[in-house]
Structures are given as C-alpha cells and as structure tokens.
Amino acid sequence: MLSPTTSAPASSAVAPPEAEPRKATLGLNIAALANKVAPLLAFLTLLIVWEAGCRLFRVPSFLLPPPSAIVMGARDISGDLWLGHAWATIRVALMGYLAAVVISIPLAIALSSSKLLSRTLYPLIVVVHSMPIVAVAPIIVVTLGASDLPRVVITFLITFFPIVVTTTAGLLATPEELIELSRSLRASRWREYTQIRLPFALPYIFSALKIATTLSVVGAVVAEFVAAEKGLGYMIMFSTSFFKINHSFASLAILVAISLCFFQLMVFIQKWLAPWSLPRSER
C-alpha cells in the first residue's frame, strides 16, 4: 500500500483539465499573430536585403538605388507636386474604372441572356482585348486628342475585359434547378436576374472588380506614358530620361500604394454590401 508521501507527487504530476484548452488557445493566438505579422516582416526583410546588397556591392544609384536613396529622392520633391501627379493618375484610373463597371456588367447580363448575342459580340470583345494596348494607345491619342478622354478610354480598354468575362461566367454558373424553379413559379426574367442570377454571381463579380482596380492603375500609367503632362506615369518617364531613378522608384511606390488602397476599398465594399459572398475565413 502506498504511503501519502509517495502518492502526492504522482497526483501533482497530472495536469489540470484547464491546461490543454489554454495551450490550444495560446497556439491559435500565436498562429493568428504570425499570419498578420508575416507579410510586414517579409517586406521589411526585403528592404533590408535590398539596402545591404546595394551598399555591399556598391551598385550605382542610377542603376538600382537603395531604399534610403529612394526616400531621400522623394523628399527632394514637394508634397504638393506629388499630390498633383498622384491625383492626375487617380482621376483617370477612377473614371476608366467606373466606365468599365457601368458598361461591363449590363453587357455581361446581355451576353448571358442571349446565345445569339454571345456568339456575335464575345469574339469581338476577345479581339479588342487581344490587341496590344501599347500599340493602340498612340492611335487613340491621335484620334481623340490630348485631353483626359483618350487616357480614360485606354484605361477602360484594359479594365473592362475581366469584368465582362468573369461576370458572364458567374451568371451562367447559376444552378439550373433554381432557374427551373423560378420559371415554374412564372417569375419574370427581371426577377430571375435580380433575385437569382446576380446574387449567385456576386462572388464572381467582386473578384473581377478587385482585379480591375489594379488594372485601372496600370491603364492610367500606360496612357500617361503615351500622352500626358502630369501623373505618376509621366513622372516615371521624365525622371528616367534624366537618370533620376530614385524619383522613378518613389513614383512606383506611390502607384503600388494607390493600387493597394483601391483593392482594399473594394474588399471593404464587399464586406459591407455582401459579406455572405466572402469565404468564412474572410468575413
């Protein structure tokens, strides 16, 4: 028979029942924190390696400036000038993006509702998208002039294709059982699209809109490369021609920031208007 002195250590060695849930919760919190911090740490590591590599190998600043030189180059230009160039790019990107949304979604509805219209217009849309926009841009500028209109058209041409294609795919992916049920209840085509097809296609539509936000900035920059007197794309061309590469990289960093802001704005709109269209992990 065990004495009290020998049985006490054995009982104390057993972990309390609350310890395992606490450990699991702590592990989940650490994993969640790592997921949030990992992108920032990766970005900071990239900047440190970039700075150290430029200094260690003595890379000329007119070839690849280190991050510190890019920051100093950005400070050489006044904030008002940066704001003017950034707003010129944002204005064109927003106008081209909104035009693409207004035209592409109704066009996708028309394509999904008529096989004849789809067979007629879809090949033309593919042909227009297949044309190299850099080659077509000078022709558009000569035809439409040197105002904002040709830059908006160029942005629209780059942006509208993914919205049309993805929205059409989402509308056509609606389960046939739902369509047959609505028709058995004598629902009109308007109710079929507004209450069945469009809600079902919302995940597709928002995915296309997110992609199009970044493409709108690309389109605005391409348009500024061709014909512009203001904008971040114009700033890159101007700075590169005078071998001020640090100014070009600063303009590029601002463009990346604008694209990320556009993307996150669309994510916020989706969470606000249709949170159910997001995966459970992103709601």
Side-chain angles (χ1 to χ4, degrees), residues 141-191:
V141 172
V142 171
T143 304
L144 300 179
S147 61
D148 282 344
L149 180 59
R151 294 192 283 273
V152 172
V153 171
I154 293 170
T155 305
F156 166 80
L157 291 176
I158 292 179
T159 308
F160 90 105
F161 185 77
I163 302 178
V164 171
V165 173
T166 309
T167 303
T168 304
L171 293 171
L172 294 176
T174 307
E176 288 296 329
E177 295 82 3
L178 296 178
I179 304 301
E180 292 176 1
L181 177 62
S182 67
R183 290 173 181 173
S184 66
L185 297 174
R186 298 181 181 179
S188 63
R189 292 298 295 271
W190 171 258
R191 295 187 64 182

Side-chain angles (χ1 to χ4, degrees), residues 3-66:
S3 63
T5 57
T6 58
S7 60
S11 61
S12 62
V14 179
E18 298 86 0
E20 291 299 329
R22 288 178 182 176
K23 289 182 180 179
T25 304
L26 180 61
L28 291 176
N29 292 334
I30 293 175
L33 180 62
N35 289 332
K36 292 181 179 180
V37 178
L40 179 60
L41 292 178
F43 180 70
L44 292 177
T45 303
L46 175 63
L47 292 180
I48 293 172
V49 172
W50 184 356
E51 181 79 24
C54 289
R55 292 181 180 276
L56 180 63
F57 296 103
R58 297 181 180 180
V59 180
S61 60
F62 62 86
L63 293 179
L64 181 63

Side-chain angles (χ1 to χ4, degrees), residues 5 9 14 26 36 40 76 87 92 105 108 110 135 143 193 210 221 239 250 260 262 281:
T5 57
V14 179
L26 180 61
K36 292 181 179 180
L40 179 60
D76 293 340
W87 173 243
V92 172
I105 294 180
T143 304
Y193 271 87
K210 291 174 187 177
V221 172
S239 302
L260 292 177
F262 281 178
S281 59

Side-chain angles (χ1 to χ4, degrees), residues 248-268:
S248 299
F249 271 95
S251 303
L252 182 61
I254 297 175
L255 284 173
V256 172
I258 292 172
S259 297
L260 292 177
C261 289
F262 281 178
F263 187 89
Q264 290 301 320
L265 177 61
M266 190 53 57
V267 171
F268 172 77

